[in-house]
DNA sequence: GGCAGGAGTAGACAATGTCAACATCCCGGA
DNA sequence: TCCGGGATGTTGACATTGTCTACTCCTGCC
């Protein structure tokens, strides 16, 4: 009786690629509402399936969020990689990466917050593997740019330079991360000056980084994510 | 019939200071669970009142969160202010403020995330006034330290220096903000080296800041929060 | 002394995350 | 060719949550 095909041929019983559909719905809702508080049921509705169908693809909401977050990291990595194309000066390339990073966060704050807002375990270790992997590949883009000579000298990505690279990454990343979030929160402004502002911070940081690079301490986690 | 005083004298019908009790309960839950997803009803339970009593003191959950966030800003301001006591060197005072800032965030990540996680309007303008006020008084501590000569020269807090001060604030704040969040997310580690790491970033930033200070662009919002 | 209104309570509602039981479809082995 | 099992979807249920409305209790003020 449930086989009552009312109008035209309704979608087949099986969706086909619900996993992807749900993640995309989440990205849409995230962009539109700019709120991280959407419901699984809403996504199911958008995908045209019952409220419980997503559970066949994600163990729980957290796992779905992690998948979305992972896409966010991939998008960011791609943005940054693309930004370095057709640029020769290593320093300019690192600067371009920084701009792409901040820009990506500012353009979709809700997604950026999802990636870094601690909706997962709080600890990186608590993040599902899929997300950690994506985050690491994003970081690799930065590592490469720094080793490339962006700070005034080429730094071979060898064990001997781990300390130097780790330190540079930490300074670079935390500065960009903080700037992005302050911009997103509108805690700095007026908004018309955002690019000029960011540019000043960026160039200042690169100068400072180039100077203090050799003395930077050790310990940042760089390289493949630690095994579980 | 509801007047059945069962055991000893039960608490009086009126709580006395429920507003404060609810905020404190929220701070407790936040510290304990390190999750920002607690329920209003849970707070009411802790305070020993009915699930609707909090609504006599807060219009909705968002307003309660804003109040908690405001307390967070006040605590942070106090921490930073205390950290500068008994320190003479302006630079050391600014460094102490930075350490206090990062430390405060790392010690209670959930609270820090509540303050900056965009659970409010996303935009600073969307934040309730009480919270903006608290955030501003926190920022004032930093402004004072910078003007004090922490960067190698005294910068009178006058209109003529707005650009310089604003720029310094932005660099300083975004670096500390980003560092705090990376530490909280355990995206850098190992944790044993956190202090050493932070110290490196901090000193590097102060050096860089002192150098590039004069050229920093304009536009950061500093001063009393803009009128609604 | 009484009354207005602030403070707290009880009950209801829709929405949500998640569980369990059932339905439908597709694919590989007999 | 048939069939049965597993993956995928559906329906229904449940506890929990934010919030609304109506009610009760108590306190301060005229």
């Amino acid at each position: 009786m449930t086989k009552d095909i009312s109008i035209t041929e309704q979608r087949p019983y099986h969706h086909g690629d619900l996993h992807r559909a749900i993640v995309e719905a989440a990205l849409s809702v995230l962009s539109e509402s700019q709120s991280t508080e959407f419901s699984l049921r809403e996504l199911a509705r958008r995908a045209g399936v019952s409220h419980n169908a997503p559970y066949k693809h994600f163990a729980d909401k957290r796992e779905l969020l992690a998948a979305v977050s992972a896409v966010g990291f991939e998008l960011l990595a791609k943005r940054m990689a693309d930004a370095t194309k057709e640029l020769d000066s290593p320093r300019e390339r690192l600067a371009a990466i920084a701009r792409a990073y901040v820009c990506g966060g500012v353009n979709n704050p809700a997604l950026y917050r999802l990636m870094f807002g601690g909706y997962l375990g709080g600890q990186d270790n608590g993040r599902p593997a899929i997300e950690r992997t994506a985050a690491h590949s994003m970081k690799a883009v930065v590592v490469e740019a720094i080793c490339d000579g962006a700070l005034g000298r080429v730094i071979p990505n060898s064990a001997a330079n781990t300390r130097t690279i780790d330190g540079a990454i930490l300074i670079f990343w935390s500065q960009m991360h903080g700037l992005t979030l302050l911009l997103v929160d509108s805690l700095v402004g007026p908004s018309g000056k955002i690019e000029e502002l960011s540019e000043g911070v960026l160039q200042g940081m690169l100068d400072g980084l180039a100077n203090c690079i050799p003395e930077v301490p050790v310990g940042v986690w760089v390289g493949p994510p630690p095994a579980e």
Side-chain angles (χ1 to χ4, degrees), chain A residues 10 13 16 28 42 53 67 108 114 116-117 122 127-128 137 163 179 224-225 227:
Chain A
Q10 297 294 41
Y13 188 85
S28 295
E42 163 74 10
N108 197 343
L114 176 61
F116 292 104
R127 298 188 184 224
S137 72
R163 298 180 52 161
L179 179 59

Side-chain angles (χ1 to χ4, degrees), chain A residues 122-153:
Chain A
Q123 302 273 327
D124 181 72
N125 293 348
R127 298 188 184 224
I130 180 183
E131 199 194 5
R132 274 201 322 233
T133 303
H136 173 256
S137 72
M138 182 211 79
K139 206 173 358 172
V141 178
V142 179
V143 173
E144 195 199 336
I146 287 182
C147 293
D148 201 27
L151 304 177
R153 66 180 176 99

